Amino acid sequence: MDKDLIVPKHVGIIMDGNGRWAQERGMIRTMGHKNALKTLKELCIHMADVGVKYASLYAFSTENFKREKSEVDYLMNLFISSFKKEFKFLIEKDVKVLFSGRRDPLPEKVLEAMDEIVYDTKDNKSLTLNICLNYGSHAEICDMTKKICEMYKNNEISLDDIDDNFIQKNMYQDLPPLDFVIRTSGELRLSNFMMYQASYAEFYFPKVYFPDFNSSEFDKALIEFNKRNRRFGGVGK
Ligand code: FPP
């Protein structure tokens, strides 16, 4: 990668197209998720190496529970084995893992594996990986609103305390805004992913399915990010 490229501080990835990747190869959909995990491991190492500070990954939406039970069960088991075994390399890479999303109705074993990896990586300092699991932006905004109303009801805050910064701090995780959102597979949608945090993000929609979105595809995305003129509502460069 060209060392003069600007690396976005916070990257969001909507890992789409696993099912189609598998079906086009005559495999069952879950094989797409299995291969996606291999890609994800490569990408995490690559993002840490190039200096991305925060990466938010859309792993499972609140709406994904509507899928066939066999696929949901497969994904839940994949999460358990990933957080318990496959992601151990993250500890060596100094990567910190956080989760965003509702705990209910995730299975107890998934929650245990999540808590374990959060604990094991809590002091790490290179890349922060925010895994969005049973996540939806609407749910996050509802949960944040309830939390703030509770604080107000308990006289812990006044209305004047509520500004952009306060909202950010009371989301599932206190993370900087997204700079760059990548959605693989050619779909042009946000699908309830970090709407608030993506307000001024640049968007990139490569045609490749997520299992093929490897480090060299990520580097192509970085080149595209560097072509954008970010104005944040102002007049720009
Ligand atoms: C979307 O593709 C993908 C998912 C709902 C699951 C994402 C899961 C992984 C990448 C596995 C590993 C993740 C972690 C964090 C351990 P799709 O199934 O909607 O594909 P389609 O649009 O082609 O049907």
Side-chain angles (χ1 to χ4, degrees):
M1 194 198 89
D2 180 347
K3 62 177 174 21
D4 293 330
L5 285 179
I6 294 170
V7 176
K9 186 171 176 187
H10 189 176
V11 177
I13 309 183
I14 304 176
M15 305 181 287
D16 197 12
N18 298 350
R20 279 165 285 167
W21 182 93
Q23 279 161 339
E24 284 182 13
R25 285 162 180 77
M27 300 174 192
I28 52 168
R29 292 175 52 82
T30 48
M31 285 301 103
H33 300 315
K34 187 176 173 189
N35 281 279
L37 179 62
K38 284 191 204 154
T39 303
L40 184 56
K41 288 166 76 175
E42 176 186 331
L43 270 185
C44 290
I45 295 174
H46 190 60
M47 288 192 288
D49 287 346
V50 301
V52 173
K53 293 307 292 174
Y54 301 89
S56 290
L57 307 170
Y58 208 4
F60 195 88
S61 73
T62 45
E63 291 74 28
N64 286 154
F65 274 112
K66 292 180 200 153
R67 292 186 178 207
E68 292 274 337
K69 186 178 178 308
S70 58
E71 186 174 344
V72 172
D73 288 349
Y74 182 91
L75 279 167
M76 293 301 144
N77 284 324
L78 190 68
F79 296 141
I80 298 168
S81 62
S82 303
F83 307 146
K84 281 195 176 289
K85 295 197 299 273
E86 304 268 358
F87 278 10
K88 288 291 171 200
F89 73 95
L90 295 177
I91 299 172
E92 284 149 45
K93 278 271 155 194
D94 203 26
V95 174
K96 178 174 178 164
V97 179
L98 304 174
F99 288 94
S100 288
R102 284 187 176 159
R103 289 175 73 89
D104 187 49
L106 290 172
E108 197 52 45
K109 283 206 160 10
V110 175
L111 295 171
E112 273 169 26
M114 287 163 63
D115 293 343
E116 200 176 307
I117 193 154
V118 168
Y119 182 81
D120 289 347
T121 62
K122 67 180 175 17
D123 299 320
N124 291 354
K125 303 240 161 358
S126 68
L127 164 71
T128 295
L129 211 57
N130 171 40
I131 302 177
C132 299
L133 211 168
N134 192 25
Y135 175 87
S137 223
H138 291 179
E140 179 172 39
I141 290 170
C142 290
D143 293 347
M144 178 269 300
T145 308
K146 284 185 199 161
K147 190 170 143 191
I148 292 180
C149 287
E150 276 298 319
M151 288 184 214
Y152 182 69
K153 204 171 79 185
N154 297 333
N155 293 318
E156 290 160 12
I157 56 163
S158 74
L159 288 183
D160 290 339
D161 290 325
I162 304 173
D163 58 11
D164 283 4
N165 193 35
F166 187 80
I167 299 282
Q168 178 183 308
K169 288 205 170 341
N170 284 287
M171 290 296 202
Y172 289 135
Q173 299 294 346
D174 178 9
L175 299 172
L178 283 160
D179 297 298
F180 195 33
V181 173
I182 301 168
R183 181 179 188 144
T184 56
S185 91
E187 304 285 355
L188 311 177
R189 287 189 294 273
L190 201 50
S191 299
N192 209 8
F193 176 67
M194 299 183 84
M195 280 158 36
Y196 183 85
Q197 298 86 339
S199 312
Y200 278 102
E202 295 296 326
F203 288 82
Y204 178 65
F205 300 106
K207 290 236 162 27
V208 291
Y209 297 139
F210 184 72
D212 290 330
F213 191 76
N214 56 17
S215 326
S216 69
E217 288 292 336
F218 187 85
D219 288 346
K220 282 192 218 163
L222 278 187
I223 292 170
E224 180 56 36
F225 178 77
N226 276 261
K227 290 182 190 158
R228 307 287 174 89
N229 177 10
R230 303 188 75 195
R231 291 192 292 278
F232 300 96
V235 287
K237 291 183 245 175

